[in-house]
Amino acid sequence: MRDRGNMAAPRSSTEQPIRLLYADDHPAVRTALRTLLERIDDIDLVGEAEDGEMALALARVLRPDLVMLDIDMPGMSGPEAAAAIKAQLPGTKILYFTGDRR
């Protein structure tokens, strides 16, 4: 995936895609993310979760390179899920996202 902020070079064709798992409690957001991320060649969507507990369970099985977590989810929040994922899979990168509902 190209980082438009620093114009980093795209990943080479010999590199493996980034294995990505993402979690959000809103179905419409998950659908929008899936639609957007499926268009990026350098990303392999390996899982989708509706909450932090599911994200943790899927991360244990799927072992993604990157987990995108909504910060505010019922039950286990994004930061709580991130702490548990990092404790069990320290090499996994975490990216938070959230929406302003105002």
Side-chain angles (χ1 to χ4, degrees):
M1 175 171 38
R2 173 168 272 183
D3 178 341
R4 296 178 197 277
N6 66 12
M7 297 304 289
R11 296 167 60 88
S12 79
S13 61
T14 59
E15 290 183 75
Q16 296 296 318
I18 297 167
R19 294 174 41 79
L20 174 69
L21 164 67
Y22 63 96
D24 191 283
D25 56 318
H26 293 92
V29 172
R30 290 195 313 272
T31 298
L33 280 172
R34 182 181 332 109
T35 300
L36 174 69
L37 294 168
E38 284 177 339
R39 295 175 172 209
I40 301 173
D41 293 336
D42 293 342
I43 293 178
D44 180 14
L45 293 176
V46 296
E48 176 182 309
E50 61 187 37
D51 58 38
E53 291 92 352
M54 181 183 261
L56 174 58
L58 287 173
R60 287 178 183 142
V61 173
L62 300 172
R63 301 197 174 274
D65 302 314
L66 173 65
V67 179
M68 285 178 43
L69 297 165
D70 181 14
I71 290 175
D72 186 24
M73 293 184 285
M76 183 183 283
S77 71
E80 291 168 331
I85 290 167
K86 290 298 279 185
Q88 295 177 35
L89 303 165
T92 302
K93 304 294 184 209
I94 303 292
L95 174 68
Y96 294 116
F97 67 95
T98 193
D100 186 355
R101 295 187 177 112
R102 288 185 248 163

